[in-house]
Amino acid sequence: GTHIGFGARFKSPPFLPHGLYGIIVSHNATIGADCTIFHQVTIGEGNGGAPVIGDNVMIGAGAKIIGNVHIGSGSKIGANAVVVHDVSENAVVTAPEGVVRIK
């Protein structure tokens, strides 16, 4: 149940607190340095591109980041959030509404 696409770019190895359980990463995704990715996360293509994720981003369990979106450095994506729009730096996105809350 895990797929890290050949060609996915990681600035540094991500921290995977639960291992590689159910993590899907598009082959065109770009992941910044020092990111934390929990289990059952999807970072996938759609809407003409793949996600670009900044440095020091935390992606909670079950979160989905889909399409040509940019996730700003220092942001936190909550468990089960679905992100299809850009997220500014140091923002917090929560589920189920996917509301963006700036710290």
Side-chain angles (χ1 to χ4, degrees):
T2 296
H3 177 75
I4 308 296
F6 184 74
R9 293 169 297 285
F10 291 84
K11 208 176 203 182
S12 71
F15 177 56
L16 306 169
H18 299 274
L20 284 170
Y21 296 104
I23 296 174
I24 307 295
V25 178
S26 164
H27 65 280
N28 287 321
T30 301
I31 315 294
D34 303 317
C35 289
T36 300
I37 303 173
F38 285 84
H39 58 289
Q40 299 297 320
V41 165
T42 298
I43 300 170
E45 291 193 45
N47 298 328
V52 175
I53 298 173
D55 299 334
N56 300 304
V57 172
M58 190 279 303
I59 305 171
K64 311 297 183 237
I65 303 172
I66 307 294
N68 187 20
V69 297
H70 291 78
I71 308 298
S73 293
S75 294
K76 294 182 179 9
I77 310 301
N80 295 315
V82 177
V83 180
V84 294
H85 299 289
D86 289 349
V87 173
S88 60
E89 290 188 355
N90 300 309
V92 177
V93 178
T94 60
E97 299 86 16
V99 175
V100 176
R101 301 189 194 287
I102 306 300
K103 281 181 163 182

